[in-house]
């Protein structure tokens, strides 16, 4: 009996091959992927090859020049060499049009990363006309230099190995490459080593590539493709797909996609996903082992790299992002079951995730910079810290408030400045008991996040960040590709055209909206029943800060008419778009530093509660910019959510709830003032009594004498 070859750490779950229906579904899937534009043209592929050839020549000349400057012999100069290797999606053969190329430059031992790579080579690239958007990131977990070469995006890493001459046929998979190198170098080398191991450990490379290309596109459509924000990146998805290929070695892509969702819907995290056994060599590098390393026990979704030293490639995943991905796996599994029953087509699997219809409350993070170059580095820094905001909110609310960071950035075309916006959905943990008057006060959390962001060592004037709490119907219209507004306007809900699968939900939404409107119109003396739900506090009371900034610096005082007009226009925009009073807008600055030389017109016109830590700077800005104070209502957080999907329209902004909240706040302030005056009266009375008693005693002593 011939034993089937085992791929991975366990035996296959099934050796079954495809049936005729599976082959037909695979053809339909491949046709869909081609129609979706996931394959690059022959011309673009040739251009990529040309760019890589030019880059190889640049790094070779760079190493030869450094060898000559350091006084090596002519023979050494002639033999001096550096090689360019690829990894990631390009190495795996699943890259699409416009995708970047992950590259690794391997150089000799006497060419270092700090000075030679990030300074000398950086200057060489900066002088070339083909190179644009050059962005060095030396302090990253894996130091990288990002740029575009003739329009092709390049991520360039560097590794200095313990060889004086680097051969052109360098075997990167050899473990001798890890001798006498530091950990950043090991992490840089591991990109190529992991890609080679993945290719080696899958049964059918072509089936693997088709399945991976499909699932990467699915992850982007469903908003779960981003390592930096706490979801999964390219290597993570590649490892997950490779493991499914090992479990079903004879399956075709349509079967592998279906089995992928079936496996990971039932996977019991934090059990790790591994392609091979973890080996601990004698090179002294730490490998992933929760038995020895306490930090490894905290990982939510371990996906282990197959090359030594084996690491968890998904350490960024948090409890909230794991919840979101699990929900999306369940969505994919349900759709695939319908496809296998011929009740749905592949297009249903790749429907865009309705993020801005799935939550009632959101955090909006706006960032601005003086120009496009500053925004490029500032955006990268802020985006890399958004994951920390998710972890902080989970920590400070004991996991009761769940976050869904959305890995997409948006630009307001009406702003005349370098600007980006990120959004994060908020909801209560499902099953959490609702207590009357319970609130989530995350002001301190956001303030801590602001301070972390402001520690950016390359900060420049003009780099600013704003955080605001917005409700669903206050989401700005520019988040939609076709520019429509997802908010209540003139008593009607403007919606995007729905597909057949969305018609039923559309009718449910309209019915819920009519019901909600009828409830809001009823006169109410006491708060509605929902007012017992917890509330979200994200900013200090004190009003609204509206700032106008333009592309040039204007000095001196503004005319009162201009300030009045800007305030009136912005306030009207709030009232016209949301139908309710505008909320406070407090500005985040960089440790009290002034705004830079450029900005945007009414950047802070996005609805919500913005923060500012330094109260003195806030008061100064309020006086200088003509801000006015308004009373804001506490916003009620959505009490329940079914798998992160929309179940009912936004009902947190009803007039009765707001009036009740304001009434409670006003009553509290009234009681505080009464107690203050009473205590003040008794305090002054006590002082008067002591003075009177002292004078009496003195008079008595004088009389006796």
């Amino acid at each position: 009996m011939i034993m089937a070859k085992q791929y991975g750490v366990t035996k296959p779950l099934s050796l079954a091959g495809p049936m005729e229906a599976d082959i037909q579904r695979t053809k339909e899937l491949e046709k869909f992927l081609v129609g979706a534009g996931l394959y690059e043209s022959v011309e673009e592929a040739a251009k990529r090859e040309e760019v890589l050839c030019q880059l190889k020549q640049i790094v070779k000349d760079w190493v030869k020049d450094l060898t000559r400057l350091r006084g090596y012999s002519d023979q050494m100069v002639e033999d001096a060499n550096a090689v360019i290797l690829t990894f990631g999606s390009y190495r795996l053969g699943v890259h699409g049009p416009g995708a970047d190329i992950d590259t690794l430059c391997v150089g000799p031992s006497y060419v270092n990363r700090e000075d030679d790579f990030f300074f000398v080579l950086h200057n060489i690239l900066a002088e070339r006309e083909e190179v644009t958007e050059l962005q060095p990131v030396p302090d990253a977990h894996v130091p990288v230099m990002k740029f575009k070469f003739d329009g092709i995006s390049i991520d360039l890493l560097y590794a200095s190995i313990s060889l004086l001459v680097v051969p052109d046929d360098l075997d990167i998979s050899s473990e001798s490459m890890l001798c006498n190198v530091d950990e950043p170098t090991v992490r840089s080398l591991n990109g190529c080593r992991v890609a080679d191991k993945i290719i080696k450990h899958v049964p059918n490379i072509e089936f693997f590539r088709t399945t991976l290309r499909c699932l990467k596109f699915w992850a982007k459509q469903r908003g779960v493709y981003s390592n930096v924000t706490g979801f999964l990146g390219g290597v993570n998805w590649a490892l997950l797909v490779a493991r499914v290929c090992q479990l079903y070695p004879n399956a075709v892509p349509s079967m592998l996609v279906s089995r992928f969702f079936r496996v990971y819907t039932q996977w019991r995290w934090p059990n790790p996903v591994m392609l091979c056994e973890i080996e601990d060599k004698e090179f002294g590098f730490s490998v992933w082992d929760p038995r020895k390393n306490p930090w490894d026990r905290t990982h939510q979704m371990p996906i282990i790299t197959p090359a030594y030293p084996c690491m968890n490639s998904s350490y960024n995943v948090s409890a909230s992002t794991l919840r979101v991905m699990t929900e999306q796996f369940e969505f994919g599994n349900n759709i695939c079951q319908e496809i296998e029953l011929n009740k749905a087509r592949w297009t249903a699997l790749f429907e865009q995730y309705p993020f801005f219809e799935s939550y009632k409350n959101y955090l909006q993070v706006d960032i601005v910079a003086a120009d496009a170059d500053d925004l490029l580095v500032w955006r990268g820094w802020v985006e890399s810290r958004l994951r920390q905001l998710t972890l902080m909110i989970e920590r400070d609310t004991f996991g009761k408030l769940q976050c869904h960071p959305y890995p997409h950035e948006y630009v307001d075309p009406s702003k005349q400045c370098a600007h980006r916006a990120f959004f994060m959905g908020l909801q209560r943990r499902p099953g959490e008991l609702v207590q009357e008057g319970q609130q989530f006060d995350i002001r301190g959390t956001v303030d801590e996040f602001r301070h972390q962001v402001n520690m950016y060592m390359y900060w420049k004037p003009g780099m600013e960040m704003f955080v605001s709490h917005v409700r669903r119907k206050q989401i700005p219209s520019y988040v939609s590709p076709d520019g429509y507004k997802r908010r209540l306007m003139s008593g009607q809900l403007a919606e995007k055209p729905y597909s057949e699968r969305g018609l039923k939900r559309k009718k449910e939404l309209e019915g819920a909206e009519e019901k909600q409107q009828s409830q809001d119109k009823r006169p109410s003396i006491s708060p509605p029943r929902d007012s017992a739900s917890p509330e979200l506090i994200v900013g200090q009371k004190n009003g609204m800060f509206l700032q106008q900034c333009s592309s040039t610096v204007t000095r001196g005082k503004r005319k009162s008419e201009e300030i009045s007009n800007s305030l009136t226009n912005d306030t009207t925009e709030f009232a016209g778009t949301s139908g309710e009073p505008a909320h406070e807008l407090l500005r985040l600055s960089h440790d009290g530093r002034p705004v830079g030389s450029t900005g945007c017109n009414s950047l802070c016109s996005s609805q919500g509660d913005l923060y500012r830590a330094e109260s003195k700077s806030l008061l100064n800005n309020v006086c200088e910019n003509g801000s006015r104070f308004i009373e804001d209502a506490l916003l009620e957080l959505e009490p329940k959510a079914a798998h992160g999907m929309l179940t009912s329209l936004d009902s947190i902004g009803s007039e009765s709830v707001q009036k009740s909240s304001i009434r409670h706040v006003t009553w509290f302030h009234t009681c505080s003032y009464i107690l203050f005056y009473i205590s003040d009266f008794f305090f002054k009375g006590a002082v008067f009594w002591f003075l009177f008693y002292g004078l009496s005693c003195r008079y008595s002593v004088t009389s006796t004498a």
Side-chain angles (χ1 to χ4, degrees):
M1 182 177 178
I2 300 177
M3 296 296 293
K5 181 180 179 180
Q6 176 176 321
Y7 293 89
V9 295
T10 62
K11 294 180 179 180
L13 292 179
S14 174
L15 295 176
M19 301 179 65
E20 186 63 32
D22 298 316
I23 296 175
Q24 181 61 32
R25 280 192 288 267
T26 298
K27 292 179 180 179
E28 294 174 356
L29 176 60
E30 292 174 344
K31 182 179 179 181
F32 172 83
L33 297 179
V34 172
L38 301 184
Y39 294 87
E40 68 177 358
S41 63
V42 177
E43 293 77 10
E44 187 175 357
K47 185 177 181 180
R48 288 179 184 272
E49 292 293 336
E50 182 182 352
V51 166
L52 287 175
C53 289
Q54 294 185 53
L55 188 58
K56 290 177 182 178
Q57 190 59 48
I58 290 173
V59 297
K60 283 186 178 182
D61 295 341
W62 163 61
V63 170
K64 288 182 182 293
D65 290 342
L66 289 175
T67 306
R68 185 181 299 106
L69 288 173
R70 288 174 184 171
Y72 287 96
S73 64
D74 293 341
Q75 185 61 41
M76 276 288 294
V77 172
E78 183 179 350
D79 295 339
N81 188 30
V83 298
I84 291 289
L85 304 173
T86 61
F87 61 98
S89 62
Y90 189 83
R91 176 70 181 91
L92 295 174
V94 294
H95 62 285
D100 59 357
I101 305 178
D102 297 312
T103 56
L104 169 68
C105 176
V106 182
S109 57
Y110 56 86
V111 177
N112 63 57
R113 180 187 301 105
E114 292 76 14
D115 299 324
D116 300 328
F117 180 73
F118 279 112
F119 184 74
V120 179
L121 181 59
H122 173 272
N123 292 340
I124 292 174
L125 293 173
E127 293 175 356
R128 296 186 67 96
E129 295 181 356
E130 309 98 318
V131 177
T132 58
E133 301 181 15
L134 182 58
Q135 178 188 359
V137 192
D139 299 321
H141 186 66
V142 181
V144 60
M145 194 145 53
K146 300 173 177 284
F147 56 92
K148 285 187 176 181
F149 196 104
D150 199 13
I152 302 296
S153 297
I154 303 289
D155 286 355
L156 181 61
L157 314 182
Y158 180 73
S160 175
I161 60 176
S162 56
L163 294 176
L164 289 177
V165 178
V166 179
D168 286 328
D169 58 347
L170 180 70
D171 182 12
I172 195 67
S173 61
S174 173
E175 292 174 354
S176 62
M177 297 291 100
L178 305 179
C179 294
N180 303 321
V181 296
D182 58 7
E183 293 217 6
T185 300
V186 173
R187 291 193 289 268
S188 300
L189 290 169
N190 255 15
C192 297
R193 290 163 51 82
V194 167
D196 290 344
K197 286 278 188 178
I198 291 175
I199 294 174
K200 179 181 178 181
H201 281 84
V202 294
N204 188 309
I205 187 62
E206 291 302 324
F207 290 171
F208 163 77
R209 285 172 175 164
T210 302
T211 307
L212 179 56
R213 193 183 296 272
C214 168
L215 287 167
K216 286 180 63 176
F217 179 59
W218 173 86
K220 293 175 182 178
Q221 290 292 100
R222 303 303 294 179
V224 290
Y225 187 93
S226 175
N227 184 57
V228 70
T229 54
F231 293 106
L232 301 182
V235 66
N236 309 126
W237 291 105
L239 291 170
L240 291 181
V241 172
R243 183 61 183 134
V244 173
C245 291
Q246 291 179 340
L247 296 175
Y248 301 92
N250 298 323
V252 294
S254 64
M255 299 170 62
L256 291 172
V257 170
S258 176
R259 286 3 176 229
F260 176 92
F261 292 117
R262 185 182 305 175
V263 167
Y264 293 115
T265 296
Q266 303 176 24
W267 196 275
R268 296 182 179 179
W269 306 104
N271 289 327
V273 173
M274 301 184 297
L275 300 187
C276 58
E277 295 289 349
I278 297 177
E279 298 180 355
D280 194 357
K281 307 291 183 179
E282 297 181 356
F283 288 93
F285 297 109
S286 176
V287 299
W288 188 84
D289 189 348
R291 298 169 299 180
K292 298 180 181 179
N293 307 323
W295 179 252
D296 293 341
R297 300 171 195 165
T298 65
H299 293 168
Q300 300 282 338
M301 192 180 186
I303 303 174
I304 311 304
T305 57
Y308 175 83
C310 299
M311 311 173 188
N312 177 21
S313 62
S314 55
Y315 61 89
N316 279 348
V317 174
S318 67
S320 288
T321 53
L322 176 59
R323 170 190 62 84
V324 173
M325 286 187 285
T326 302
E327 293 169 358
Q328 294 307 314
F329 289 155
E330 292 175 354
F331 167 83
N333 187 43
N334 293 334
I335 296 297
C336 285
Q337 290 179 5
E338 294 182 4
I339 292 175
E340 291 179 345
L341 296 174
N342 294 323
K343 294 182 178 180
R345 295 185 175 275
W346 287 112
T347 53
L349 181 64
F350 301 97
E351 285 184 354
Q352 190 86 24
Y353 176 63
F355 175 73
F356 293 106
E357 299 173 7
S358 300
Y359 297 92
K360 291 185 177 180
N361 294 273
Y362 298 85
L363 283 184
Q364 177 177 341
V365 180
D366 290 278
I367 59 173
V368 294
D371 52 44
D373 292 337
D374 287 353
L375 181 68
L376 186 66
V377 294
W378 180 236
R379 179 198 64 80
W381 168 253
V382 175
E383 186 180 19
S384 69
R385 309 311 299 173
L386 288 178
R387 184 179 65 91
Q388 296 299 324
L389 179 58
T390 301
L391 296 175
M392 291 176 189
I393 293 176
E394 290 177 353
R395 177 200 66 193
D396 294 346
T397 62
F398 304 100
K400 296 181 180 180
L401 184 61
Q402 295 179 333
C403 307
H404 180 178
Y406 200 49
H408 292 280
E409 61 183 41
Y410 298 91
V411 182
D412 188 351
S414 65
K415 307 304 179 187
Q416 300 176 357
C417 69
H419 159 257
R420 292 292 185 275
F422 298 94
F423 292 86
M424 180 183 297
L426 301 174
Q427 73 171 16
R428 177 187 302 279
R429 182 172 59 190
E432 188 70 23
L433 295 178
V434 179
Q435 300 179 5
E436 184 175 0
Q438 182 181 359
Q439 297 176 342
F440 289 118
D441 188 346
I442 59 174
R443 288 173 292 187
T445 306
V446 174
D447 202 32
E448 180 184 353
F449 170 69
R450 181 189 65 82
H451 283 294
Q452 283 195 10
V453 170
N454 289 341
M455 292 173 63
Y456 185 49
M457 66 172 59
Y458 301 107
W459 183 90
K460 294 181 180 180
M463 293 181 176
E464 304 293 336
M465 182 185 71
F466 307 84
V467 180
S468 61
H469 170 209
V470 296
R471 291 175 291 179
R472 184 194 304 148
K473 58 185 175 182
Q474 296 172 328
I475 294 295
S477 59
Y478 60 77
V479 302
S480 172
D482 53 1
Y484 82 100
K485 294 187 176 182
R486 303 171 184 261
R487 60 177 70 157
L488 293 175
M489 300 179 62
S490 304
Q492 295 181 352
L493 183 64
E495 298 185 1
K496 190 175 181 178
Y498 278 66
S499 61
E500 288 186 10
R501 295 178 51 82
L503 289 177
K504 181 178 179 181
R505 185 174 61 171
K506 178 180 179 182
K507 294 179 180 178
E508 293 175 354
L509 296 183
E510 291 175 346
E513 172 60 16
E514 292 176 358
K515 182 179 179 181
Q516 178 60 33
Q517 288 180 352
S518 63
Q519 290 178 353
D520 290 342
K521 291 179 180 178
R522 296 173 191 159
S524 175
I525 299 176
S526 60
R529 192 171 182 179
D530 289 345
S531 64
S533 302
E535 295 170 336
L536 182 66
I537 303 177
V538 293
Q540 303 170 352
K541 281 185 64 176
N542 271 341
M544 177 192 302
F545 172 75
L546 294 173
Q547 179 194 6
Q548 273 210 343
C549 46
S550 58
S551 58
T552 57
V553 179
T554 58
R555 299 185 178 274
K557 295 183 178 180
R558 295 177 178 154
K559 297 180 181 180
S560 60
E561 293 83 5
E562 295 175 351
I563 297 177
S564 177
N565 290 338
S566 66
L567 289 174
T568 303
N569 293 338
D570 288 333
T571 305
T572 302
E573 180 182 351
F574 283 175
T577 55
S578 67
E580 299 174 70
H583 299 288
E584 59 183 356
L585 227 60
L586 303 183
R587 176 172 168 244
L588 273 172
S589 72
H590 186 85
D591 294 334
R593 282 188 273 233
V595 182
S597 59
T598 66
C600 61
N601 290 326
S602 304
L603 170 69
C604 301
S605 63
S606 59
Q607 296 81 2
D609 302 324
L610 291 185
Y611 316 80
R612 185 169 178 85
E614 297 83 12
S615 57
K616 178 183 281 187
S617 301
L618 170 63
L619 293 176
N620 292 337
N621 281 321
V622 167
C623 295
E624 293 175 4
N625 294 277
S627 300
R628 63 193 182 100
F629 296 93
I630 59 175
E631 188 89 2
D632 69 320
L634 298 177
L635 302 178
E636 180 186 5
L637 182 66
E638 175 184 19
K640 296 180 181 180
H643 302 294
M645 301 301 292
L646 177 64
T647 57
S648 64
L649 285 177
D650 189 1
S651 61
I652 63 176
S654 62
E655 185 178 357
S656 57
V657 174
Q658 292 191 6
K659 289 184 178 180
S660 171
S661 300
I662 295 175
R663 184 162 59 246
H664 292 324
V665 174
T666 306
W667 173 248
F668 173 77
H669 285 184
T670 303
C671 293
S672 299
Y673 280 119
I674 293 173
L675 291 175
F676 171 76
Y677 284 120
I678 292 175
S679 61
D680 184 61
F681 172 79
F682 281 109
F683 175 75
K684 291 180 179 178
V687 172
F688 178 78
W689 184 85
F690 277 115
L691 290 174
F692 179 78
Y693 179 77
L695 292 174
S696 299
C697 292
R698 183 177 181 182
Y699 177 77
S700 299
V701 171
T702 305
S703 300
T704 303

